[in-house]
Amino acid sequence: QKDGEVQVGPDGRIEYASRNFSEFTQYELELLIDQKKLIDLFIPDDQELIKQSRNILQNDESRVLEVRLTKPNNQIMWLRGRVVQHHDYRKGSSLATFYFQKIEKEKRLEAELRNLDFEHDQLEKKLESRDFEMEHFSKVASTDLKAPLNQITQLLNNPPKSPEETSEKIKIQAERMKDLIDALLIYSLSGKNQYQPIFVDLNEIMKEVISGLEFQIHSNNAKVHYFSLPSIWADRIQMIRLFRNMLENAIKFRGKENPIITVTHSLDEENDRFVFAVEDNGIGISPELYEEVFLIFRKFNKKDSPGLGMGLALCKKIVEIHKGKMWLRSAVGQGTTFYFTLPAEKSAKKIAAQRD
């Protein structure tokens, strides 16, 4: 392609522009020559590059720059410019001649390559996460799931004197085995194939969850506060599981004071997502456990804490299925705040459409 040539005088005003420059920028020549300063054609962020290119040039030197020009219709186009400084002896002044080429195709290709690199990195991270999850599942199968079976085998090989005691202990281990299998089933079913989004009022979800946890809340003298939560595009059943597990976790790991649990949210408009915070005044979590608490069958205190250690793992999985993230801030003895993001309406509908 032919270069678009522009000659600029000492005051920055365009003294000459080639027809080729006029054609690919869509500016009429009569509106350019002696009418506009070259710098005014470019977006504000790139105007400094045009200034610098003139200021640093000496006679017979040139510089190449890539800048974005605003067309008359306000569309942006990428140009690569070569600048040559020379002296007009007739006028007794210094002139700068810019030779511009369109590089929109190159820039589109660069953007596509950057997107591919980003998607490749994300895929690698996802595969690493899946590999880690599968490895953890394997360890669970070989330890936690086998533990009740080993206990039953020991009871059968070395039974207590009382048959009733043997029967009762076997029953306890069998029930634990069933609970483990049920928990794994729920965890595995909380996948994208179970994702059935509808418009969900989270205030109604909280009411339903609090009603279902009425016994735990009253028996622990707990207080649950939430303030005008949004309606979102999400899977209703999974939202119930998410908020139920968050509240149960806060009650379970209470401190000496009566549990106070507060659920708030804010809107991250730039990323079209809601950021939720579930704050409690419980025992807190030490920094070395920040990641471990989200693994299945991991518990703070295996002897004293009830449950199977599935709650937070399930919560994190549900949030990730909704293309969100989950993290926490805590200090031992100072309570914990769990944060998670869920997409606002536009993003959520886009995610749902991609799954269809």
Side-chain angles (χ1 to χ4, degrees), residues 220 254-260 281:
N220 285 276
R254 58 171 295 173
K256 294 180 180 179
E257 303 293 326
N258 291 337
I260 300 174
N281 61 339

PDB file of all heavy atoms in Angstrom, residues 220 254-260 281:
ATOM      1  N   ASN A 220     -28.031 -21.721  68.971  1.00  0.00           N
ATOM      2  CA  ASN A 220     -26.737 -21.055  69.150  1.00  0.00           C
ATOM      3  C   ASN A 220     -26.888 -19.561  69.449  1.00  0.00           C
ATOM      4  O   ASN A 220     -25.886 -18.848  69.500  1.00  0.00           O
ATOM      5  CB  ASN A 220     -25.875 -21.226  67.891  1.00  0.00           C
ATOM      6  CG  ASN A 220     -25.285 -22.614  67.759  1.00  0.00           C
ATOM      7  OD1 ASN A 220     -24.236 -22.912  68.332  1.00  0.00           O
ATOM      8  ND2 ASN A 220     -25.960 -23.473  67.005  1.00  0.00           N
ATOM      9  N   ARG A 254     -18.249 -21.022  65.571  1.00  0.00           N
ATOM     10  CA  ARG A 254     -18.512 -19.862  66.407  1.00  0.00           C
ATOM     11  C   ARG A 254     -17.417 -19.678  67.452  1.00  0.00           C
ATOM     12  O   ARG A 254     -16.681 -20.621  67.806  1.00  0.00           O
ATOM     13  CB  ARG A 254     -19.853 -20.019  67.118  1.00  0.00           C
ATOM     14  CG  ARG A 254     -19.940 -21.278  67.987  1.00  0.00           C
ATOM     15  CD  ARG A 254     -21.184 -21.282  68.825  1.00  0.00           C
ATOM     16  NE  ARG A 254     -21.165 -20.184  69.792  1.00  0.00           N
ATOM     17  CZ  ARG A 254     -22.191 -19.881  70.565  1.00  0.00           C
ATOM     18  NH1 ARG A 254     -23.311 -20.582  70.487  1.00  0.00           N
ATOM     19  NH2 ARG A 254     -22.108 -18.881  71.430  1.00  0.00           N
ATOM     20  N   GLY A 255     -17.309 -18.478  67.950  1.00  0.00           N
ATOM     21  CA  GLY A 255     -16.388 -18.215  69.053  1.00  0.00           C
ATOM     22  C   GLY A 255     -17.132 -18.264  70.371  1.00  0.00           C
ATOM     23  O   GLY A 255     -18.195 -18.880  70.488  1.00  0.00           O
ATOM     24  N   LYS A 256     -16.586 -17.588  71.381  1.00  0.00           N
ATOM     25  CA  LYS A 256     -17.239 -17.573  72.692  1.00  0.00           C
ATOM     26  C   LYS A 256     -18.499 -16.710  72.677  1.00  0.00           C
ATOM     27  O   LYS A 256     -19.446 -16.980  73.412  1.00  0.00           O
ATOM     28  CB  LYS A 256     -16.255 -17.057  73.751  1.00  0.00           C
ATOM     29  CG  LYS A 256     -15.069 -17.991  73.985  1.00  0.00           C
ATOM     30  CD  LYS A 256     -14.126 -17.434  75.035  1.00  0.00           C
ATOM     31  CE  LYS A 256     -12.946 -18.366  75.269  1.00  0.00           C
ATOM     32  NZ  LYS A 256     -12.000 -17.828  76.270  1.00  0.00           N
ATOM     33  N   GLU A 257     -18.496 -15.672  71.855  1.00  0.00           N
ATOM     34  CA  GLU A 257     -19.660 -14.802  71.759  1.00  0.00           C
ATOM     35  C   GLU A 257     -20.742 -15.471  70.913  1.00  0.00           C
ATOM     36  O   GLU A 257     -20.460 -16.352  70.098  1.00  0.00           O
ATOM     37  CB  GLU A 257     -19.273 -13.460  71.139  1.00  0.00           C
ATOM     38  CG  GLU A 257     -18.167 -12.707  71.865  1.00  0.00           C
ATOM     39  CD  GLU A 257     -18.621 -12.245  73.234  1.00  0.00           C
ATOM     40  OE1 GLU A 257     -19.817 -11.919  73.378  1.00  0.00           O
ATOM     41  OE2 GLU A 257     -17.775 -12.200  74.156  1.00  0.00           O
ATOM     42  N   ASN A 258     -21.988 -15.029  71.120  1.00  0.00           N
ATOM     43  CA  ASN A 258     -23.067 -15.523  70.256  1.00  0.00           C
ATOM     44  C   ASN A 258     -22.771 -15.149  68.801  1.00  0.00           C
ATOM     45  O   ASN A 258     -22.331 -14.026  68.540  1.00  0.00           O
ATOM     46  CB  ASN A 258     -24.412 -14.919  70.678  1.00  0.00           C
ATOM     47  CG  ASN A 258     -24.879 -15.454  72.019  1.00  0.00           C
ATOM     48  OD1 ASN A 258     -24.477 -16.530  72.452  1.00  0.00           O
ATOM     49  ND2 ASN A 258     -25.732 -14.684  72.697  1.00  0.00           N
ATOM     50  N   PRO A 259     -23.010 -16.064  67.873  1.00  0.00           N
ATOM     51  CA  PRO A 259     -22.682 -15.793  66.465  1.00  0.00           C
ATOM     52  C   PRO A 259     -23.479 -14.624  65.890  1.00  0.00           C
ATOM     53  O   PRO A 259     -24.690 -14.529  66.072  1.00  0.00           O
ATOM     54  CB  PRO A 259     -23.056 -17.096  65.750  1.00  0.00           C
ATOM     55  CG  PRO A 259     -23.059 -18.139  66.818  1.00  0.00           C
ATOM     56  CD  PRO A 259     -23.510 -17.443  68.064  1.00  0.00           C
ATOM     57  N   ILE A 260     -22.765 -13.731  65.216  1.00  0.00           N
ATOM     58  CA  ILE A 260     -23.389 -12.647  64.454  1.00  0.00           C
ATOM     59  C   ILE A 260     -22.892 -12.770  63.022  1.00  0.00           C
ATOM     60  O   ILE A 260     -21.683 -12.683  62.764  1.00  0.00           O
ATOM     61  CB  ILE A 260     -23.027 -11.259  65.029  1.00  0.00           C
ATOM     62  CG1 ILE A 260     -23.509 -11.145  66.475  1.00  0.00           C
ATOM     63  CG2 ILE A 260     -23.626 -10.146  64.167  1.00  0.00           C
ATOM     64  CD1 ILE A 260     -23.068  -9.857  67.165  1.00  0.00           C
ATOM     65  N   ASN A 281     -18.258 -13.502  63.464  1.00  0.00           N
ATOM     66  CA  ASN A 281     -17.397 -13.178  64.607  1.00  0.00           C
ATOM     67  C   ASN A 281     -16.888 -14.456  65.264  1.00  0.00           C
ATOM     68  O   ASN A 281     -16.739 -14.526  66.481  1.00  0.00           O
ATOM     69  CB  ASN A 281     -18.163 -12.324  65.625  1.00  0.00           C
ATOM     70  CG  ASN A 281     -19.389 -13.057  66.185  1.00  0.00           C
ATOM     71  OD1 ASN A 281     -19.886 -14.008  65.571  1.00  0.00           O
ATOM     72  ND2 ASN A 281     -19.866 -12.643  67.349  1.00  0.00           N
TER      73      ASN A 281
END
